[in-house]
Amino acid sequence: MKNVETTTINLTEQLSMNSLMAFVKKAKSFNSHVSLYRNGHSINAKNLTSVITFNLTVKENDSLLLIADGEDATEASTQLEELLQNEMDSAKEETLSLM
């Protein structure tokens, strides 16, 4: 059964290159088509070059829409949202520890 899941992600921290690579790797592990959408632009979240370029236009406190379309869309949406949240939390803790 085909399923579409959408999740809004509020960026509290800028994402690092390692975070982006982990996100793309995780996105590729799902059969669903995964895309990111912001301000009228949508990209394939399984393509590292697209994700890096997209990230250059994203600022702290922006909102992204994650769209997963396929059999494992619910799982993809949940796990990718958790991964990004964990990456942002880690970046925030690292920043605080440097102070």
Side-chain angles (χ1 to χ4, degrees):
M1 182 173 138
K2 197 168 183 177
N3 189 19
V4 176
E5 290 288 326
T6 60
T7 305
T8 301
I9 300 168
N10 296 312
L11 297 177
T12 57
E13 295 289 325
Q14 190 69 33
L15 296 172
S16 69
M17 184 63 73
N18 287 339
S19 298
L20 298 175
M21 290 188 306
F23 177 82
V24 170
K25 183 177 180 181
K26 188 68 167 177
K28 286 182 175 182
S29 73
F30 298 104
N31 291 324
S32 292
H33 175 75
V34 181
S35 57
L36 293 172
Y37 180 87
R38 179 181 159 272
N39 291 342
H41 298 284
S42 178
I43 59 135
N44 177 359
K46 293 182 178 184
N47 182 297
L48 183 59
T49 304
S50 294
V51 172
I52 291 169
T53 303
F54 185 78
N55 187 58
L56 294 173
T57 68
V58 176
K59 298 179 185 121
E60 201 173 301
N61 299 317
D62 277 352
S63 293
L64 306 176
L65 185 63
L66 184 142
I67 304 166
D69 181 4
E71 296 173 2
D72 56 358
T74 302
E75 183 181 351
S77 180
T78 301
Q79 289 187 24
L80 290 169
E81 178 186 18
E82 286 175 5
L83 183 141
L84 286 178
Q85 192 59 53
N86 290 339
E87 292 293 331
M88 287 184 289
D89 290 346
S90 293
K92 189 179 288 185
E93 288 173 15
E94 189 174 300
T95 300
L96 290 174
S97 71
L98 294 174
M99 294 180 169

